[in-house]
Amino acid sequence: MHCARLDTVRPDIVGISALSDELYIGRDIARIAKQWDPSVTVIWGNKAPTMAPEKVLADRHTDYLCCGEGIEAFPAFIEALEKGSDPGAIRNIFSRATDGSIKRTALRPYYQDLDRLPPLDWSIFDERHFLKPYDGKVYRGGDHMLFWGCPNICTYCINEAYRTLHGPHAGKYLRNYSIERIVGELEELIRQWDIGFFKFHDEDFCLKPLPVFEALADAYQRRVRVPFTIMANARTVSAEKVALLKHMNCVSVTLGIETGNDRLRREVLKRRETVDDIVRATNLFHDAGIRTASFNMLGIPFETRQTVMETIEVNKRAGIRYPNAGFFFPLENTELREIAIANGFFDRDSNAVFQNDRPTLRFSDLSAEELIALRERFVLYIKMPYTLYPYIHRSEQKDALGEALTKELYSIYDSCVFQNDGVWNDHGRLTEYTARLEQ
């Protein structure tokens, strides 16, 4: 099979970095690589092979996979290929035995000294990769993270499964760069790539102890200063940390809400924050002038229309400026996947792939069409006053009136919310807007 990129690079090794929902895309890439040259070595890394090694190595176009971190394993793998020794004997590298079974090796402990890692090499990126839109402007931006790992046990995430995979003697799972190392690298990235905006991917930026936070805030404000966005858990947000984030030039934070139903949040998702925690955290950020956004999952196991409306209500009560809603996907080797299978919401042998705008699970009393309609109107319910709820509800129907109402509602949303930084302001025209919807 002809592939211009492979013809240009002519690699000896094709590496496939795949998330759990990219399993089938990765298989296509492996097949294309082997059709281009059957002798090329194909190895997978990232979450898909770590969580589902059997499914990855079941594909005859795949030679090896890296289970867990490849920081030390992948260089050793390349060296073994160069020397003609068996790469499948390297820790973290799995291969396929002659009888078709998986040849596993022991996993290395978590890599501990992040300061020893080389700085990020952004020269591999197309220049367009640096163009990041935010708040109506386009910045030259980049991504980084200060802390690796997450202590939470959310059932939809692979963190708990990953810790279990490594066992109790793998070393600290929560790891961090030193402040001097991270600030020095950020300074260099700004100098080298003209960066004016950062997005930090720490799973909970506010998890850091207050003394660490204070030292980081001081160094960042003095030496870096460029605006940035973070993710946070409401339970770790405090007034002191919010004040430090403002001092550092944090402009936006995204909080994980996921569901507004207390039972589903605690018992099914195993999230620990309460609605009061969420409201308290958002109030602190709003008082500091830091924009809030939220992550919300629809179509989780045991979802009903009522639980979706409860999720909407929590976002509304918290005053989240920019709520985001996507559909749950049952990731490989997670507890929530097994819950979905055990309760008939999902087939174990399904070939489903993640689609943010389409539910993956099936519900007996909640259709995919209704879930899609709720997601499409998620921000309307959150941002608009309750008096407009009947019109939003009626707009969910796929008929001429539903389409006309949807168009009119989004026109009102644009005037009253989008052009007002995510906050409803009808400028005294609610009666006029209601009359337009009545027509």
Side-chain angles (χ1 to χ4, degrees), residues 125-374:
F125 295 131
D126 185 290
E127 271 290 308
R128 290 170 293 183
H129 179 85
F130 296 103
L131 302 180
K132 309 288 187 180
Y134 176 77
D135 201 25
K137 299 179 182 179
V138 176
Y139 294 83
R140 281 186 63 84
D143 300 346
H144 215 306
M145 59 194 305
L146 285 68
F147 269 61
W148 291 16
C150 177
N152 296 314
I153 56 173
C154 306
T155 57
Y156 52 86
C157 180
I158 72 163
N159 273 298
E160 181 65 11
Y162 188 56
R163 286 191 291 265
T164 302
L165 186 71
H166 277 74
H169 306 297
K172 291 193 303 180
Y173 184 51
L174 292 176
R175 294 151 286 165
N176 61 277
Y177 294 98
S178 69
I179 292 174
E180 180 56 38
R181 159 60 196 265
I182 194 66
V183 169
E185 181 167 345
L186 295 175
E187 286 180 309
E188 179 59 23
L189 290 171
I190 292 171
R191 185 196 66 76
Q192 187 173 1
W193 300 103
D194 192 26
I195 297 300
F197 201 96
F198 281 113
K199 180 177 182 179
F200 291 110
H201 290 265
D202 302 43
E203 298 196 53
D204 181 4
F205 197 92
C206 291
L207 184 65
K208 305 166 188 60
L210 186 57
V212 175
F213 221 110
E214 290 171 337
L216 172 66
D218 177 67
Y220 189 96
Q221 196 280 332
R222 285 187 294 104
R223 297 167 55 183
V224 182
R225 292 185 296 279
V226 302
F228 62 95
T229 68
I230 62 167
M231 299 182 291
N233 184 298
R235 292 178 70 245
T236 62
V237 173
S238 67
E240 295 84 359
K241 291 179 181 179
V242 171
L244 290 169
L245 285 168
K246 183 66 175 180
H247 179 67
M248 293 169 70
N249 204 11
C250 176
V251 294
S252 179
V253 57
T254 302
L255 296 167
I257 293 178
E258 312 307 358
T259 179
N261 181 270
D262 287 335
R263 186 187 70 83
L264 292 183
R265 187 186 316 109
R266 291 194 314 270
E267 299 177 15
V268 178
L269 303 187
K270 292 186 178 177
R271 291 188 65 95
R272 300 165 180 168
E273 70 275 21
T274 65
V275 172
D276 286 343
D277 289 331
I278 294 167
V279 173
R280 175 190 57 80
T282 53
N283 285 339
L284 287 171
F285 285 117
H286 292 156
D287 290 346
I290 297 175
R291 193 177 79 173
T292 57
S294 64
F295 292 127
N296 301 272
M297 282 194 303
L298 306 183
I300 63 177
F302 311 108
E303 188 85 275
T304 65
R305 183 180 181 94
Q306 177 59 33
T307 60
V308 174
M309 295 308 295
E310 289 176 42
T311 303
I312 287 168
E313 182 60 27
V314 170
N315 280 267
K316 196 179 191 80
R317 179 180 163 191
I320 296 292
R321 294 293 176 88
Y322 291 93
N324 300 291
F327 284 109
F328 162 72
F329 184 83
L331 297 175
E332 295 281 353
N333 206 16
T334 56
E335 184 179 348
L336 199 51
R337 179 186 179 91
E338 295 305 313
I339 291 172
I341 292 169
N343 289 275
F345 300 122
F346 185 72
D347 294 329
R348 185 177 299 279
D349 298 324
S350 171
N351 291 331
V353 296
F354 173 65
Q355 298 183 79
N356 194 48
D357 60 349
R358 295 288 184 274
T360 302
L361 304 193
R362 303 181 307 272
F363 303 92
S364 59
D365 54 353
L366 184 61
S367 69
E369 291 73 22
E370 185 174 5
L371 270 170
I372 292 168
L374 282 166

